[in-house]
Amino acid sequence: MPRRKRVATGGLLFHVFNRAVAREKIFWKPEDYEAFETVLQQAGERVPMRLLSYCVMPNTGTLCSGPAGMRICPSTCAG
């Protein structure tokens, strides 16, 4: 089922995730992880954003991101 359209006012911190269905793997070999990092780099070149953290595991990719000029306190993405 599709999600409802969201309206973002800007200046927000986003938690973005990509998770496989039924705990299947989406990253099988080191090259898959490298490809994920390449896509993140390309996205950063196209869209001004601040990548605060990311985590890649065999069945998920997660990142914490916000606008390029965003100021945050150090504990925003912790825990």
Side-chain angles (χ1 to χ4, degrees):
M1 174 170 38
R3 292 181 184 250
R4 289 187 205 165
K5 191 173 187 177
R6 297 179 187 176
V7 177
T9 58
L12 301 174
L13 185 65
F14 290 94
H15 174 223
V16 182
F17 60 94
N18 182 13
R19 185 172 44 203
V21 174
R23 298 184 180 176
E24 290 289 323
K25 288 184 178 181
I26 54 176
F27 299 102
W28 292 87
K29 53 191 182 292
E31 293 83 10
D32 297 336
Y33 295 93
E34 292 170 12
F36 180 83
E37 290 179 337
T38 299
V39 169
L40 286 179
Q41 182 179 3
Q42 291 171 347
E45 292 168 358
R46 291 182 60 189
V47 179
M49 67 174 173
R50 183 172 179 188
L51 181 61
L52 301 168
S53 64
Y54 71 95
C55 179
V56 185
M57 296 178 283
N59 68 340
T60 188
T62 305
L63 59 98
C64 186
S65 180
M70 179 178 208
R71 296 180 63 200
I72 60 164
C73 66
S75 63
T76 301
C77 283

Coordinates of all heavy atoms in Angstrom, one line a residue:
M1 N 0.8 -1.2 0.0 CA 0.0 0.0 0.0 C 0.9 1.2 0.0 O 1.8 1.3 0.8 CB -0.9 0.0 1.2 CG -1.7 1.2 1.4 SD -3.0 1.2 2.6 CE -2.4 0.4 4.0
P2 N 0.6 2.2 -0.9 CA 1.5 3.4 -0.9 C 1.3 4.3 0.3 O 0.2 4.3 0.9 CB 1.0 4.1 -2.2 CG -0.3 3.6 -2.5 CD -0.4 2.2 -1.9
R3 N 2.3 5.0 0.7 CA 2.2 6.0 1.8 C 1.6 7.2 1.3 O 1.6 7.6 0.2 CB 3.6 6.3 2.3 CG 4.3 5.2 2.9 CD 5.7 5.6 3.4 NE 6.5 4.6 4.0 CZ 6.7 4.4 5.3 NH1 6.3 5.3 6.1 NH2 7.4 3.4 5.7
R4 N 1.0 8.0 2.3 CA 0.5 9.3 2.0 C 1.6 10.2 1.6 O 2.7 10.1 2.1 CB -0.3 9.8 3.2 CG -1.5 9.1 3.5 CD -2.2 9.8 4.6 NE -3.1 8.9 5.3 CZ -3.6 9.1 6.5 NH1 -3.4 10.2 7.2 NH2 -4.4 8.3 7.1
K5 N 1.2 11.2 0.8 CA 2.2 12.2 0.4 C 2.5 13.1 1.7 O 1.7 13.4 2.4 CB 1.6 13.1 -0.7 CG 2.6 14.0 -1.3 CD 2.0 14.8 -2.5 CE 3.0 15.6 -3.2 NZ 2.4 16.2 -4.4
R6 N 3.8 13.3 1.9 CA 4.3 14.1 3.0 C 4.8 15.5 2.6 O 5.4 15.6 1.5 CB 5.4 13.4 3.7 CG 5.0 12.0 4.3 CD 6.2 11.4 4.9 NE 5.8 10.0 5.3 CZ 6.7 9.2 5.8 NH1 7.9 9.5 6.0 NH2 6.3 7.9 6.1
V7 N 4.6 16.4 3.4 CA 5.0 17.8 3.1 C 6.1 18.1 4.1 O 6.0 18.0 5.3 CB 3.9 18.8 3.3 CG1 4.4 20.2 3.1 CG2 2.7 18.5 2.3
A8 N 7.3 18.5 3.6 CA 8.4 18.8 4.5 C 8.7 20.3 4.4 O 8.7 20.9 3.3 CB 9.7 18.1 4.0
T9 N 8.7 21.0 5.6 CA 8.9 22.4 5.6 C 10.4 22.8 5.5 O 10.7 24.0 5.3 CB 8.3 23.0 6.9 OG1 9.0 22.3 8.0 CG2 6.9 22.7 7.0
G10 N 11.3 21.9 5.5 CA 12.7 22.2 5.4 C 13.4 22.3 6.7 O 12.7 22.5 7.8
G11 N 14.7 22.1 6.7 CA 15.4 22.2 8.0 C 15.3 21.1 8.9 O 15.6 21.1 10.1
L12 N 14.7 20.0 8.4 CA 14.4 18.8 9.2 C 15.5 17.7 9.1 O 16.1 17.6 8.1 CB 13.1 18.2 8.9 CG 11.9 19.1 9.0 CD1 10.6 18.5 8.4 CD2 11.7 19.5 10.4
L13 N 15.6 16.9 10.1 CA 16.5 15.8 10.1 C 15.7 14.6 9.7 O 14.5 14.4 10.1 CB 17.0 15.6 11.5 CG 18.1 14.5 11.7 CD1 19.3 14.8 11.0 CD2 18.3 14.3 13.2
F14 N 16.2 13.8 8.7 CA 15.5 12.6 8.2 C 16.2 11.3 8.6 O 17.4 11.2 8.5 CB 15.3 12.7 6.7 CG 14.4 13.8 6.3 CD1 14.9 15.0 5.9 CD2 13.0 13.5 6.2 CE1 14.0 16.0 5.5 CE2 12.2 14.5 5.8 CZ 12.6 15.7 5.5
H15 N 15.4 10.3 9.0 CA 15.9 8.9 9.2 C 15.4 8.2 8.0 O 14.2 8.0 7.8 CB 15.4 8.4 10.5 CG 15.8 6.9 10.6 ND1 14.9 6.0 11.1 CD2 16.9 6.3 10.4 CE1 15.5 4.8 11.2 NE2 16.7 4.9 10.8
V16 N 16.3 7.7 7.1 CA 16.0 7.1 5.9 C 16.4 5.6 5.9 O 17.5 5.3 6.3 CB 16.6 7.8 4.6 CG1 16.2 7.1 3.3 CG2 16.3 9.2 4.6
F17 N 15.5 4.7 5.6 CA 15.9 3.3 5.6 C 15.4 2.6 4.4 O 14.4 2.9 3.8 CB 15.5 2.6 6.9 CG 14.0 2.6 7.1 CD1 13.2 1.5 6.7 CD2 13.4 3.7 7.7 CE1 11.9 1.5 6.8 CE2 12.0 3.7 7.9 CZ 11.2 2.6 7.4
N18 N 16.2 1.5 4.0 CA 15.8 0.6 2.9 C 16.0 -0.8 3.5 O 17.1 -1.2 3.8 CB 16.7 0.8 1.7 CG 16.4 0.0 0.6 OD1 15.3 -0.7 0.6 ND2 17.3 -0.1 -0.4
R19 N 14.9 -1.5 3.7 CA 14.9 -2.8 4.3 C 14.4 -3.9 3.4 O 13.4 -3.6 2.7 CB 14.1 -2.8 5.6 CG 14.2 -4.0 6.4 CD 13.5 -3.9 7.7 NE 12.3 -3.2 7.6 CZ 11.7 -2.6 8.6 NH1 12.2 -2.5 9.8 NH2 10.5 -2.0 8.5
A20 N 15.0 -5.0 3.3 CA 14.6 -6.1 2.5 C 13.3 -6.7 3.0 O 13.0 -6.7 4.2 CB 15.7 -7.1 2.4
V21 N 12.6 -7.4 2.1 CA 11.4 -8.1 2.5 C 11.8 -9.5 3.0 O 12.8 -10.1 2.6 CB 10.5 -8.3 1.2 CG1 9.3 -9.2 1.5 CG2 10.1 -7.0 0.7
A22 N 11.1 -9.9 4.1 CA 11.3 -11.2 4.7 C 12.8 -11.5 5.1 O 13.3 -12.6 5.0 CB 10.8 -12.3 3.8
R23 N 13.5 -10.4 5.5 CA 14.9 -10.5 6.0 C 15.8 -11.1 5.0 O 16.9 -11.7 5.3 CB 14.9 -11.4 7.3 CG 14.2 -10.7 8.4 CD 14.3 -11.5 9.7 NE 13.6 -10.8 10.7 CZ 13.4 -11.2 11.9 NH1 14.0 -12.3 12.3 NH2 12.7 -10.6 12.8
E24 N 15.5 -11.0 3.7 CA 16.4 -11.4 2.6 C 17.5 -10.4 2.6 O 17.4 -9.3 3.0 CB 15.6 -11.4 1.3 CG 14.6 -12.5 1.2 CD 15.2 -13.9 1.0 OE1 16.3 -14.0 0.4 OE2 14.6 -14.8 1.6
K25 N 18.6 -10.9 2.0 CA 19.8 -10.0 1.9 C 19.6 -9.1 0.7 O 19.0 -9.4 -0.4 CB 21.1 -10.8 1.6 CG 21.6 -11.5 2.9 CD 22.9 -12.2 2.5 CE 23.4 -12.9 3.7 NZ 24.7 -13.6 3.5
I26 N 20.1 -7.8 0.8 CA 20.2 -6.9 -0.3 C 21.6 -6.6 -0.6 O 21.9 -6.1 -1.7 CB 19.3 -5.6 -0.1 CG1 19.7 -4.9 1.2 CG2 17.9 -5.9 -0.2 CD1 19.0 -3.6 1.4
F27 N 22.5 -6.9 0.3 CA 23.9 -6.7 0.1 C 24.6 -8.1 0.3 O 24.5 -8.7 1.3 CB 24.5 -5.7 1.1 CG 23.9 -4.3 1.1 CD1 23.0 -3.9 2.0 CD2 24.3 -3.5 0.1 CE1 22.4 -2.7 1.9 CE2 23.8 -2.2 0.0 CZ 22.8 -1.8 0.9
W28 N 25.1 -8.6 -0.8 CA 25.7 -9.9 -0.8 C 27.2 -10.0 -0.7 O 27.8 -10.9 -0.2 CB 25.2 -10.7 -2.1 CG 23.8 -10.9 -2.0 CD1 22.8 -10.1 -2.5 CD2 23.1 -12.1 -1.5 NE1 21.6 -10.7 -2.3 CE2 21.7 -11.9 -1.7 CE3 23.6 -13.3 -0.9 CZ2 20.8 -12.9 -1.3 CZ3 22.7 -14.2 -0.6 CH2 21.3 -14.0 -0.7
K29 N 27.9 -9.0 -1.4 CA 29.3 -9.0 -1.4 C 29.9 -7.6 -1.2 O 29.1 -6.6 -1.2 CB 29.8 -9.5 -2.8 CG 29.2 -8.9 -4.0 CD 29.4 -9.6 -5.3 CE 28.9 -9.0 -6.5 NZ 27.5 -8.9 -6.6
P30 N 31.2 -7.4 -1.0 CA 31.7 -6.1 -0.7 C 31.4 -5.1 -1.7 O 31.2 -3.9 -1.4 CB 33.2 -6.4 -0.6 CG 33.3 -7.8 -0.2 CD 32.2 -8.5 -0.8
E31 N 31.3 -5.5 -3.0 CA 31.0 -4.6 -4.1 C 29.6 -3.9 -3.9 O 29.4 -2.8 -4.3 CB 31.1 -5.2 -5.4 CG 32.5 -5.6 -5.8 CD 33.0 -7.0 -5.2 OE1 32.1 -7.7 -4.6 OE2 34.2 -7.2 -5.3
D32 N 28.7 -4.7 -3.3 CA 27.3 -4.1 -3.1 C 27.4 -3.0 -2.1 O 26.7 -2.0 -2.2 CB 26.4 -5.2 -2.6 CG 26.2 -6.4 -3.6 OD1 26.4 -6.1 -4.8 OD2 25.9 -7.5 -3.1
Y33 N 28.2 -3.2 -1.0 CA 28.3 -2.1 0.0 C 29.0 -0.9 -0.6 O 28.6 0.3 -0.4 CB 29.1 -2.6 1.2 CG 28.5 -3.7 2.0 CD1 28.7 -5.0 1.7 CD2 27.6 -3.4 3.0 CE1 28.1 -6.1 2.4 CE2 27.0 -4.4 3.7 CZ 27.2 -5.7 3.4 OH 26.6 -6.7 4.1
E34 N 30.0 -1.1 -1.5 CA 30.7 0.0 -2.1 C 29.7 0.7 -3.1 O 29.8 2.0 -3.2 CB 31.9 -0.6 -2.9 CG 33.0 -1.1 -2.0 CD 34.1 -1.8 -2.8 OE1 34.1 -1.8 -4.0 OE2 34.9 -2.5 -2.1
A35 N 28.8 0.0 -3.8 CA 27.9 0.6 -4.7 C 26.9 1.5 -3.9 O 26.6 2.6 -4.3 CB 27.1 -0.4 -5.4
F36 N 26.5 1.1 -2.7 CA 25.7 1.9 -1.8 C 26.3 3.2 -1.4 O 25.8 4.3 -1.5 CB 25.3 1.1 -0.5 CG 24.4 1.8 0.4 CD1 23.0 1.9 0.2 CD2 24.9 2.5 1.5 CE1 22.2 2.5 1.1 CE2 24.1 3.2 2.4 CZ 22.8 3.2 2.2
E37 N 27.6 3.1 -1.1 CA 28.4 4.3 -0.7 C 28.6 5.2 -1.9 O 28.5 6.5 -1.8 CB 29.7 3.9 -0.1 CG 29.6 3.3 1.2 CD 31.0 2.9 1.8 OE1 31.9 2.7 1.1 OE2 31.0 2.8 3.1
T38 N 28.7 4.7 -3.1 CA 28.8 5.4 -4.3 C 27.5 6.2 -4.6 O 27.6 7.4 -5.0 CB 29.2 4.6 -5.5 OG1 30.4 3.9 -5.3 CG2 29.2 5.3 -6.8
V39 N 26.4 5.6 -4.4 CA 25.1 6.2 -4.6 C 24.9 7.4 -3.6 O 24.5 8.5 -4.0 CB 24.0 5.2 -4.5 CG1 22.6 5.9 -4.5 CG2 24.0 4.3 -5.7
L40 N 25.4 7.2 -2.4 CA 25.3 8.2 -1.4 C 26.1 9.4 -1.8 O 25.7 10.6 -1.7 CB 25.8 7.7 0.0 CG 24.8 6.8 0.8 CD1 25.5 6.5 2.1 CD2 23.5 7.5 1.0
Q41 N 27.3 9.2 -2.3 CA 28.2 10.2 -2.8 C 27.6 11.0 -3.9 O 27.6 12.2 -4.0 CB 29.6 9.7 -3.1 CG 30.6 10.7 -3.6 CD 31.9 10.2 -3.9 OE1 32.1 9.0 -3.9 NE2 32.8 11.0 -4.3
Q42 N 27.0 10.2 -4.9 CA 26.4 10.9 -6.1 C 25.2 11.7 -5.6 O 25.0 12.8 -6.2 CB 26.0 9.8 -7.1 CG 27.2 9.1 -7.7 CD 26.7 7.9 -8.6 OE1 25.6 7.4 -8.5 NE2 27.7 7.4 -9.4
A43 N 24.4 11.2 -4.7 CA 23.3 12.0 -4.2 C 23.8 13.3 -3.6 O 23.2 14.4 -3.8 CB 22.5 11.2 -3.2
G44 N 24.9 13.2 -2.8 CA 25.4 14.4 -2.2 C 25.9 15.4 -3.2 O 25.9 16.6 -2.9
E45 N 26.3 15.0 -4.3 CA 26.8 15.9 -5.4 C 25.6 16.6 -6.1 O 25.8 17.7 -6.6 CB 27.7 15.1 -6.4 CG 29.0 14.7 -5.8 CD 29.7 13.7 -6.7 OE1 29.2 13.3 -7.7 OE2 30.8 13.2 -6.3
R46 N 24.5 15.9 -6.1 CA 23.3 16.4 -6.8 C 22.4 17.3 -5.9 O 21.8 18.2 -6.4 CB 22.5 15.3 -7.4 CG 23.1 14.5 -8.5 CD 22.3 13.4 -9.0 NE 21.0 14.0 -9.5 CZ 20.0 13.3 -9.9 NH1 20.0 12.0 -9.8 NH2 18.9 13.9 -10.4
V47 N 22.4 16.9 -4.7 CA 21.5 17.6 -3.7 C 22.3 18.0 -2.5 O 22.9 17.2 -1.9 CB 20.3 16.6 -3.3 CG1 19.4 17.3 -2.3 CG2 19.6 16.1 -4.4
P48 N 22.2 19.3 -2.2 CA 22.9 19.8 -1.0 C 22.4 19.2 0.3 O 21.2 19.5 0.7 CB 22.8 21.3 -1.0 CG 21.6 21.6 -1.9 CD 21.5 20.4 -2.8
M49 N 23.1 18.2 0.9 CA 22.6 17.6 2.1 C 23.8 17.3 3.0 O 24.9 17.3 2.6 CB 21.9 16.3 1.8 CG 22.7 15.2 1.2 SD 21.8 13.7 1.1 CE 23.0 12.7 0.2
R50 N 23.5 17.1 4.3 CA 24.5 16.8 5.3 C 24.2 15.3 5.7 O 23.2 15.1 6.3 CB 24.4 17.7 6.4 CG 25.4 17.5 7.5 CD 25.4 18.6 8.5 NE 26.4 18.3 9.5 CZ 26.5 19.0 10.6 NH1 25.7 20.0 10.9 NH2 27.4 18.7 11.5
L51 N 25.1 14.4 5.4 CA 25.0 13.1 5.8 C 25.6 12.9 7.2 O 26.8 13.1 7.3 CB 25.7 12.1 4.8 CG 25.6 10.6 5.1 CD1 24.1 10.2 5.1 CD2 26.4 9.9 4.1
L52 N 24.8 12.7 8.2 CA 25.3 12.6 9.6 C 25.8 11.3 10.0 O 26.8 11.1 10.7 CB 24.2 13.1 10.5 CG 23.7 14.5 10.3 CD1 22.4 14.8 11.0 CD2 24.8 15.5 10.6
S53 N 25.1 10.2 9.5 CA 25.6 8.9 9.8 C 24.9 7.9 8.8 O 23.9 8.2 8.3 CB 25.2 8.5 11.2 OG 23.8 8.5 11.4
Y54 N 25.5 6.7 8.7 CA 24.8 5.7 7.9 C 25.3 4.3 8.4 O 26.4 4.2 9.0 CB 25.0 5.8 6.4 CG 26.4 5.5 5.9 CD1 26.7 4.3 5.4 CD2 27.4 6.5 5.9 CE1 28.0 4.0 4.9 CE2 28.6 6.3 5.4 CZ 28.9 5.0 4.9 OH 30.2 4.8 4.4
C55 N 24.5 3.3 8.2 CA 24.8 2.0 8.6 C 24.3 1.0 7.6 O 23.1 1.2 7.1 CB 24.1 1.7 10.0 SG 24.4 0.0 10.5
V56 N 25.1 0.1 7.1 CA 24.7 -0.8 6.1 C 25.0 -2.2 6.7 O 26.1 -2.6 7.1 CB 25.6 -0.6 4.8 CG1 25.1 -1.5 3.7 CG2 25.5 0.8 4.4
M57 N 23.9 -3.0 6.6 CA 24.0 -4.4 7.1 C 23.5 -5.3 5.9 O 22.9 -4.8 4.9 CB 23.2 -4.6 8.3 CG 23.7 -3.8 9.5 SD 22.7 -4.0 11.0 CE 21.4 -2.9 10.6
P58 N 23.6 -6.6 6.0 CA 23.2 -7.5 4.8 C 21.8 -7.2 4.4 O 21.5 -7.3 3.2 CB 23.4 -8.9 5.4 CG 24.5 -8.7 6.4 CD 24.3 -7.4 7.0
N59 N 20.9 -6.9 5.3 CA 19.5 -6.8 4.8 C 18.9 -5.4 5.0 O 17.7 -5.2 4.8 CB 18.6 -7.8 5.6 CG 18.5 -7.5 7.0 OD1 19.3 -6.8 7.6 ND2 17.4 -8.0 7.6
T60 N 19.7 -4.4 5.3 CA 19.2 -3.0 5.4 C 20.3 -2.0 5.2 O 21.4 -2.2 5.4 CB 18.6 -2.8 6.8 OG1 17.9 -1.6 6.9 CG2 19.6 -2.9 7.9
G61 N 19.8 -0.8 4.8 CA 20.7 0.4 4.7 C 19.9 1.5 5.3 O 18.8 1.8 5.1
T62 N 20.6 2.2 6.3 CA 19.9 3.3 7.1 C 20.8 4.5 7.1 O 22.1 4.3 7.2 CB 19.7 2.8 8.5 OG1 19.0 1.6 8.5 CG2 18.9 3.8 9.3
L63 N 20.2 5.7 7.0 CA 21.1 6.9 7.1 C 20.3 8.0 7.8 O 19.1 7.9 7.9 CB 21.6 7.3 5.8 CG 20.6 7.7 4.7 CD1 20.4 9.2 4.6 CD2 21.1 7.2 3.3
C64 N 21.0 8.9 8.4 CA 20.5 10.1 9.1 C 21.0 11.3 8.3 O 22.2 11.4 8.2 CB 21.0 10.0 10.5 SG 20.3 11.3 11.5
S65 N 20.1 12.1 7.8 CA 20.5 13.2 6.9 C 19.7 14.4 7.1 O 18.5 14.3 7.6 CB 20.4 12.7 5.4 OG 20.8 13.7 4.5
G66 N 20.2 15.5 6.7 CA 19.5 16.8 6.8 C 20.0 17.8 5.7 O 20.9 17.4 5.0
P67 N 19.5 19.0 5.7 CA 20.0 20.0 4.8 C 21.4 20.3 5.0 O 21.9 20.2 6.1 CB 19.1 21.2 5.0 CG 17.9 20.7 5.8 CD 18.4 19.5 6.5
A68 N 22.1 20.8 3.9 CA 23.5 21.1 4.0 C 23.9 22.0 5.1 O 24.9 21.8 5.8 CB 24.0 21.6 2.7
G69 N 23.2 23.1 5.4 CA 23.5 24.1 6.4 C 23.0 23.8 7.7 O 23.1 24.7 8.6
M70 N 22.4 22.6 7.9 CA 21.8 22.3 9.2 C 22.8 22.3 10.4 O 23.8 21.7 10.3 CB 21.1 21.0 9.1 CG 20.4 20.5 10.3 SD 19.6 18.9 10.0 CE 18.3 19.1 11.1
R71 N 22.4 22.9 11.5 CA 23.2 22.9 12.7 C 22.4 21.9 13.7 O 21.2 22.1 13.9 CB 23.3 24.2 13.3 CG 24.1 25.2 12.4 CD 24.3 26.5 13.0 NE 25.1 26.4 14.2 CZ 25.1 27.4 15.2 NH1 24.3 28.4 15.0 NH2 25.8 27.2 16.2
I72 N 23.2 21.0 14.3 CA 22.6 20.1 15.2 C 23.4 20.0 16.5 O 24.6 20.3 16.5 CB 22.4 18.7 14.6 CG1 23.8 18.1 14.2 CG2 21.5 18.7 13.4 CD1 23.8 16.7 14.0
C73 N 22.8 19.5 17.5 CA 23.6 19.2 18.7 C 24.2 17.8 18.5 O 23.6 17.0 17.8 CB 22.7 19.3 20.0 SG 21.4 18.0 20.1
P74 N 25.3 17.5 19.2 CA 26.0 16.2 19.0 C 25.2 15.0 19.2 O 25.4 13.9 18.7 CB 27.2 16.3 19.9 CG 27.4 17.7 20.2 CD 26.0 18.4 20.1
S75 N 24.2 15.0 20.1 CA 23.4 13.8 20.5 C 22.2 13.6 19.6 O 21.4 12.7 19.8 CB 23.0 13.9 21.9 OG 22.1 15.0 22.1
T76 N 22.0 14.4 18.6 CA 20.8 14.3 17.8 C 20.6 12.9 17.2 O 19.5 12.3 17.2 CB 20.7 15.3 16.6 OG1 20.8 16.6 17.2 CG2 19.5 15.2 15.8
C77 N 21.6 12.3 16.6 CA 21.5 11.0 16.0 C 22.0 9.9 16.9 O 22.1 8.7 16.4 CB 22.3 11.0 14.7 SG 21.5 11.8 13.3
A78 N 22.3 10.1 18.1 CA 22.8 9.1 19.0 C 21.7 8.3 19.5 O 20.6 8.7 19.7 CB 23.6 9.8 20.2
G79 N 22.0 7.0 19.8 CA 21.1 6.1 20.5 C 20.1 5.6 19.7 O 19.2 4.9 19.9

